[in-house]
Amino acid sequence: ASSGQDQEKENSVRLATALVAFFIVATPCATQAKDRVTFQLDWLPGGSKAPVYVGIGEGYFAEADIEVVIASGRGSNDALVKIAAGSSDIGFVDLTDLMRARAERSVPAKAVAAYFTKGPHAIFALESSKIDSIGKLAKRTVATSPFSSSNVFFPIVLEANGVAVDSVKITNVDPSALGPLLASRKTDAVIGWIVNRSPFAAQAAAAGEKLKQLPWSSAGVDLYGSSLVASESFLTKYPDVAARFAAAFAKSVDFMKGNPEKA
């Protein structure tokens, strides 16, 4: 009986030793969890949003020990509000929106990197509408998203092209409704970004129409474009994470330029 008890004690000691060894090895792994970053989109997912998806898909963020969660957006102003409030850490915001917000109030957000070096704002219309210039928008209906950064500058575009602002009827709709409204001829034109051309063109083609694109940069109003903007709290509390994120994002942009189809 004594021999059996000794064997039982020896087995218990071995088990305890094994458990201690396991926790000694496992504990460091638990402290090496990836930093979680919430990335804020400023519009519906599309080609122009590729870098954040490339960074996840190609493992650039993982290599930087970062886990990225993507938050949906409904316009640049909407994205800025969410980032400034701290519900998102970093994301796409039109630089002109940030400049205006910081000039008007102390919004706690800062630009950390450029993405678009030329504003992509544009008017889209069907060729059958005969709208072949911004000057042809007088007495027409134009649909836009209520949170689009383009809305701030649209009156300037109209005035620069000799169109009275009150002669254009502007309607606010959900971003996903812009293409269908245009294709179904329920609006004469829509405000969007050049990068929105593909879905708009496909929807127009399905209705037997062709799309006309009128970039604002070709109509006398050239603006700064989309940038990476981060909340000040994120930059202050986690500067190393922000730096690693920006570096991985830059790798994603380079990949996108060299591999557009895969991106």
Side-chain angles (χ1 to χ4, degrees), residues 43-46 48-49 120 124 178 191-201 203 211 213:
W43 199 253
L44 303 176
S48 64
K49 316 307 173 191
F124 293 93
L178 292 172
I191 295 175
W193 281 12
I194 292 171
V195 294
N196 301 137
R197 178 183 175 85
S198 292
F200 287 164
Q203 289 161 341
L211 191 70
Q213 175 179 291

Side-chain angles (χ1 to χ4, degrees), residues 40 63 94 109 112 126 136 182-183 185-186 191 201 203-205 208 218 261:
Q40 180 65 53
E63 291 171 4
D94 195 299
V112 296
L126 302 178
K136 296 287 184 68
L182 182 63
R185 305 174 190 82
K186 292 180 180 178
I191 295 175
Q203 289 161 341
S218 300
E261 292 299 327

Side-chain angles (χ1 to χ4, degrees), residues 223-241:
L223 305 165
Y224 289 112
S226 185
S227 300
L228 276 186
V229 170
S231 72
E232 288 188 353
S233 62
F234 173 60
L235 295 175
T236 301
K237 293 178 181 178
Y238 310 105
D240 177 63
V241 178

Side-chain angles (χ1 to χ4, degrees), residues 77-190:
N77 284 314
D78 176 56
L80 179 57
V81 168
K82 291 175 179 176
I83 291 171
S87 59
S88 293
D89 300 309
I90 191 168
F92 290 127
V93 173
D94 195 299
L95 187 58
T96 48
D97 274 347
L98 178 63
M99 292 169 67
R100 183 171 62 92
R102 288 188 68 89
E104 295 177 350
R105 60 191 187 280
S106 182
V107 59
K110 291 184 177 179
V112 296
Y115 182 43
F116 288 167
T117 54
K118 184 181 285 291
H121 312 276
I123 287 292
F124 293 93
L126 302 178
E127 287 193 356
S128 62
S129 70
K130 307 300 182 182
I131 298 175
D132 53 11
S133 70
I134 301 295
K136 296 287 184 68
L137 289 176
K139 298 181 180 180
R140 299 288 191 131
T141 301
V142 178
T144 185
S145 164
F147 298 109
S148 174
S149 62
S150 305
N151 299 341
V152 177
F153 306 98
F154 187 48
I156 299 174
V157 176
L158 293 176
E159 291 172 359
N161 289 270
V163 179
V165 177
D166 59 6
S167 71
V168 179
K169 182 180 179 182
I170 301 174
T171 58
N172 290 303
V173 301
D174 187 83
S176 61
L178 292 172
L181 282 175
L182 182 63
S184 62
R185 305 174 190 82
K186 292 180 180 178
T187 184
D188 296 314
V190 299

Side-chain angles (χ1 to χ4, degrees), residues 44-74:
L44 303 176
S48 64
K49 316 307 173 191
V52 67
Y53 293 98
V54 167
I56 295 172
E58 292 298 311
Y60 296 140
F61 294 127
E63 291 171 4
D65 290 325
I66 293 174
E67 176 190 357
V68 176
V69 177
I70 301 175
S72 61
R74 286 296 182 272

